[in-house]
Structures are given as C-alpha cells and as structure tokens.
Amino acid sequence: MTAQRPATIDDYIRAAPREGQPHLRRLYALLKSVAPDAEEAIKWGTPFFVEPRFLFAFSAHKAHLNFTPTAAGLAPFGKELQGHKTTKGMLQVPYTQPLPEALIRKIAEHRVRTLREREDDAFW
C-alpha cells in the first residue's frame, strides 16, 4: 500500500499490490452486488460495508486478501471453509488462487440477511 491514505475503496484497490488488484476488484463488485445499499467507507485503513451495522470488510496484503464478515458470519460455513485459510473472523485468499466467489457470495448474503433481522443497535 502507498503512504497516502485512500479516500475511497477504488483508491484503496489502486494502491494495493498489483498482483492482487484483479481479485480485489472482483471481490468489491461481488460485495456491492450483495449489499448495494450499504455505505462504503474506509475505516481504520480498511474498506468497510456498513448498513448501518458492520456487514463486512476486506483488506489487501502483499500476497493475499482478507475477507472479513466477522466470526458470526463465518461460523455457519465451517464445512465449506475447509481447505481455505481462516482465522476466527476472516477468510484469507492468496492472489495465486482463484477467488472462491460462490462461497464469498453465500457468506455475504447470509451476513446481510442476519443483520437485517437483528433488532439491537450494536455496530458489530
């Protein structure tokens, strides 16, 4: 990433490692299609989708990207995530591997549906 802080998600992707930009563009388009009304923002230096709660985020790294739908967002997909590198709330995708678009779409759609059903005011 460059030293200048990106103001938009497009700026963020342009500043990301060149080899990751195709993955990041596809991921961004996919997330926009799942949550077209979500606010897009750069928070803590990371692209966020908020509706008005945190839906998901993603981040670019030297050799991989992270898709972050939170631990609650990933939990129902344990079997489908086998074979992928994950942390408690994040899916890591190396730029050398295909983006698992169908799986990411399912997780993102589940996250949107789950948050819209909630009645509390918590951001996370």
Side-chain angles (χ1 to χ4, degrees):
M1 302 299 293
T2 63
Q4 185 178 4
R5 290 183 170 256
T8 67
I9 295 177
D10 283 325
D11 291 343
Y12 182 91
I13 292 171
R14 278 193 294 277
R18 173 175 273 139
E19 50 281 338
Q21 290 179 13
H23 271 46
L24 294 164
R25 280 190 207 99
R26 282 195 304 277
L27 177 61
Y28 180 37
L30 187 158
L31 296 177
K32 280 179 72 153
S33 74
V34 170
D37 298 327
E39 173 193 348
E40 298 176 18
I42 302 292
K43 295 181 181 283
W44 299 284
T46 302
F48 269 54
F49 285 75
V50 178
E51 194 183 81
R53 295 178 183 88
F54 173 81
L55 285 171
F56 29 72
F58 65 90
S59 56
H61 302 275
K62 184 177 179 179
H64 70 276
L65 66 81
N66 287 335
F67 167 55
T68 310
T70 73
L74 288 180
F77 302 94
K79 281 187 177 181
E80 293 168 88
L81 288 164
Q82 290 177 352
H84 296 280
K85 186 169 183 181
T86 60
T87 65
K88 186 176 178 182
M90 211 177 295
L91 167 64
Q92 186 180 99
V93 181
Y95 299 140
T96 57
Q97 295 179 5
L99 189 67
E101 293 182 42
L103 177 56
I104 291 171
R105 178 176 297 282
K106 277 176 72 172
I107 294 167
E109 288 171 346
H110 177 267
R111 181 80 178 142
V112 168
R113 204 171 37 255
T114 301
L115 288 185
R116 287 181 180 166
E117 292 170 357
R118 283 179 41 189
E119 295 182 14
D120 63 83
D121 291 336
F123 180 71
W124 300 101

